[in-house]
Structure formats: structure tokens, C-alpha cells
Amino acid sequence: MRQVQGSYNRRSTEALKEINYDYSYPPEVGNLKPGTEKHDKIVKEILDRAQASYDVMSRRHDYWKKIDHTLTAYITLDDEEEYVLEKDTRKPVSIVVPYSYATIETILTYWVSVFLENPIFRYRGFTSEDTVGSIMLEKVIELQCIRNKVALNLHTQFRDSLAYGFGASSPYWNSHWGHRSIFDKTTGMKRREPTRLFEGNALMNIDPYLYLPDPSVPIQDVQKGGFVGWIDKTNYLDTLNSERYDQDMFNAKYIAHIDGHTSTIPEDTSGRETKVGGEARNAEISDITRPIDITYMFINIIPKEWKLGLGEYPEKWLFMLAGDEVLLKAQPLNLDHNLYPVTICAPDYDGYSLTPISRLEIIYGLQGILDFLFTSHVANIRKAINDMLIVDPYLINMSDLKKPGPGKLIRTRRAVWGRGVENAVKQLAVTDVTRNHMQDAGIVMDVMQRSSSAVDSLMGIIRGGSERRSATESRDTRMSALSRLAKSTKIASIMTMQDLAYMFASHTQQLMENETYISTAGRFQQELEEEYGFSTGMKVSPMDLLINYDIVSHDGTIEAGEFAEVWLQMYQTLAQNPAVGSGFDMVRIFKHLARISGAKNVNEFVRKGGSAQIKLKQDEEIEAEVQKGNMRPI
């Protein structure tokens, strides 16, 4: 076990037996005090699985570090460059052309447009009785996503999937505790009382370097594995605070007496810190922050074999281990969906690999060539703009020649005064062997675009060339590029977003305890107002959400504005031909036209009292009204 120097007391595992904080452990698990036989046996089972997983996953870490370096503007200097910079800080160093960064930003922009528009997750009821309940469920989960900033976690997961080949996250039920100021009628004064301010679904990102899956199953089959886990880097005070509000946690006070670091993973396995010259952790701040490595491990166990109950069939359990020594949690998941609360996003997976290749890894070799072309060209320019002279030191005063600056006076030696200055100094011819490097760089960037789908039209760059491009050509080219990106988002929708939507809904139905208020504004405003009579908001209880629902999957595409003109022509055609238009919902078509044209808040302009549905009477009804005298032909 690694030891970190510090002022607070650290003791060995054996010494923990002498310390007793008198915890009350759950009856089904029994005594799990650190140092007991049952406690240490469970710790060993967790560490064995973590080490087996890390031994496989760590084989990819060196490649991921290279990807980390491509996402910056420079790389670590070698010994020769360090020596050169000591002599002249203006000398060129190895740079990284930020083209991989531009590529991942372009693809992420499309992903954000597809997935992160509210509501992120959409639902519909199975039957007409479940319709209003599914609307409430969608509104409640939308509010949870906003308060817990789920969109930021999804962005991180998407970015990891493009950089490292996969992104992992864990949905969990978050209860935010604090204080609320209330008026005490007894004393007539204001007082503060502890309360749960908010509860709802949240998302925890899992660092790919710290992800510990079952290595016997491919990346997309996380639910088929015997275990799955990860390591979270936190600190002692945060862990102790979590124990205060989590009734299922225990043993947190023992962390003060251990090292806190896990032996499974080195201090810093990624390349994120090295590119900026920092360290993930150092001894100088360890005494202040008291960092702790917590291993989260979901394991499918037979409780009777682990002496954690009488169950003889597999059950999914959650274990939390601080450092290598203190067990913080051991409990059955007991989630209605009976899944590991872990989701994977691997848009470029092959169906078989544990660690699939990433989008940036595909173009990594081209990125290296691009860096070389730029660096060598800059170095050659640096060489060319510096004078390379052949001098006869017998004829020239060398001290004058070495003085920098324009307009300088160079004196000849006294012995050759009056003989002229020919052949005293000669400029050495310099050949630019890198003059074609920029042209070659353009070819390399073009190949990178073709490989990654991040073409010029998606980057907002107009293709060069003397010929004019028609609007149709521009539109078709952009839509073809978008269709390539739509493939990856379709995979992410099936693999990641559907699982998250299902787990969020299941958690809300099972774990929600408090009533909450939702806004009736939006695409379901009319339905909610007609059902409940509210004009601005309504209260939702946990019982209102116990309905049968289905997930509305996203097809992986965005509503592109290029087709707004086509939809406008279709709308005009339908409006002018009632026989055809009667078979379509003209109001919904108009709203769709407004959305793809850029108006996202079209529902705010719907007339109060219901949507303006166009009702066309059948020919028989019209004829009957004419016979009654209520209508007449024009």
C-alpha cells in the first residue's frame, strides 16, 4: 500500500481492529467493522475484481494518453527542445495543430443539438388512462434534469465516447439536503429547520481511466457482466458528509485512520494533467484535502455464499470501498428495473471489443503527420529568416557583425582599409525544402475530415473553388454530411439514451417521496389545462406517476432548416386543397414548420382556450345545412 506523508494519523489495517466507533450495521449484513473476518473477506473480493478489470483496461491507457495530447496546442518538450529553449525562448517547439479538437467539437455540436433540447427524455402512456400520467412523468423528469444539470454529464459522456471509444455514466437518486427558513407561529419569529430541498435523478460520470467492467463481456453488454464498477476520487469530508444523510452508509469515520488511496490504480493514469505540467495529486495538498479513492462495485452475488443473508439465487448488490481497507456500503440494489445503474455510449463499437477504437484514434496517425508538417515548416522558416553568413574574420570586425538590429555599421579591420569590402561577407544560400508542406497539410486535413465525418460544411467553412455552388448543391452536401453523423447518434440513442430514460422513469416511480410542482407550459399545455384547470403550474404526487409508459426514442437526427422551404410549399398546397388537407393536422404541420425555421417557442403564441384546429365538414353535412337554410353556396 502506498503511503502519503501527512500530519493526520494513518494506521495499518491491523490497527483498525483496536478502533471502535460503535456503528449500527444493517441486520441483513451483520457486523462489518473494519478488521473483522467478514469485512476483510468482502474487501478482498472487491479488490480481486477491480484488479482483474484494471489489468485488461490499462492496456489501452497509453493510447488514450496520446489522444489527450492531441486535444491541446502543444506537447511535452523533449531534451533537445528543452536545451534549445534555454538558449533562445523564440525557438520553435513541437506543436499540436488543434485539428482533432476541431473535429470533436464539430461532432459534439451535432450531438448536443440532437439530444440536449428539453425535454431530454420523452414518454407516452400505453393507454388513454396513462396519457396524463406520462405527461406528468415527462415534466417531472425534465425538472430533475434541469436542477441536477444532467445535460452537462451527458456532454461529458458524449465527449468521452468520441475521444476514448466509450463514455460511461451511472444514474442515481439524488437527495439534496439543506435548511429552509419558516415562520414559527408559536414564537412569532423566523427559524431554520433541516429539510430535503430537492430529490430526483442525477447522473455521475465515470472516468474511462477509472472504469472497471467485467472483462469477459463486450463494452455494450454491461448488463450481462458479473460485476461492473469504477473508482471515484473524492475527499474525507465529502464522504463523511454523505454518511450523515445516507442511512445505508457506515464506517466513514474509520477513513481518518487510513491512507485512503487504492493500490488498484496509479496516482495519475491519464494524460490530461501532463499536458499542462500539473499533477492530479501531490503530497503538498494531501494533508489539506485528504483525498480518498472510493471503489464503487456492483456485483451479482449469492448472498448466502457471502454470508450476507439467506438468499440462494443471484442478487445485484452495491459495495463501496474506501482506499483498500474500509467498506462503506454493502446493500442489495432492490431497484425495480433490476439492472446495473450504469450506461455506456460507444458509437463506434464493433459488437465484440471491450475497449472499442474511438473516432479520434482513427485519425491519430494523420494528426501526427499534420503536426510534423507544421512543426518542420515553422522550423525551416525560423532557420531561413536568420542570417547564415560566411565571414573572413581577418577582414571584418566580428564584434560589429554580431550586434543585432537594423541599420548597423560594420567596420573593416585597419589592415585592409582602402582595399574594398568584396568577399568579406557572403550570404549562404538557403533552400526551403518544406515549401510544399502547407499544401500537403491541406490534403491530410481533407482525409481527416472524410474519416471523421466532420467536413467543412459542418464546421461552417465554405468550400474553396472558383466555380459557384448552387443552393441545392450546398443543401444536399450538408444533408449528406448530417446523415453520416446521424448514424452515430442513432447508435447512442439506442445504446445510451433509451437506458437512461428507462432508469430515470423507474427511479422516479420507485423512489420519489415528496410532491413537486411542474409548469404546464410547453407542448402539453392544453392537455394539462383541460384535465386539471391550471393555467401556470400544478402539483404532482408520487401516486400520480404510477402509470404504464413507453419511451419515445430519438431517431438521431435534427430538424434541419434546409427543408423549411419544402415544408412551406407543402403547407401552402394543403391549405389550398381542402380535399387533401382534410387528411392532415394543419396546426401541427405549421408548428413543425415554425420549429425547423428556428422558432422554438411557437406554443407561447397559441390562442388561449385551445389550439386553433381547422375543422372541415364533410360534404353530406354541408348539403344538409344548405337544405335547412343555414348555409348557402357562394
Side-chain angles (χ1 to χ4, degrees), residues 118-119 122 139 520-527 529 587-588 590-592 594-595 599-613:
N118 286 323
R122 299 186 177 186
K139 286 287 187 179
T520 60
R523 64 192 184 104
F524 294 128
Q525 182 174 0
Q526 180 181 354
E527 291 90 336
E529 289 182 2
V587 173
R588 293 184 63 187
F590 179 81
K591 289 182 178 181
H592 177 72
R595 280 194 297 269
K600 299 181 180 180
N601 58 342
V602 63
N603 286 309
E604 295 183 5
F605 302 97
V606 175
R607 184 176 299 170
K608 296 296 181 182
S611 60
Q613 295 285 346

Side-chain angles (χ1 to χ4, degrees), residues 432-456:
D432 185 5
V433 297
T434 66
R435 59 183 179 274
N436 293 325
H437 277 202
M438 292 300 98
Q439 181 179 352
D440 295 340
I443 298 174
V444 172
M445 288 188 289
D446 183 64
V447 176
M448 294 175 72
Q449 289 183 344
R450 294 172 185 267
S451 303
S452 65
S453 305
V455 296
D456 283 343

Side-chain angles (χ1 to χ4, degrees), residues 301-303 310-315:
I301 70 170
I302 297 178
L310 301 178
E312 298 180 352
Y313 291 94
E315 297 178 6

Side-chain angles (χ1 to χ4, degrees), residues 217-225 351:
V217 296
I219 190 70
Q220 76 277 2
D221 290 334
V222 60
Q223 300 300 335
K224 296 181 180 180

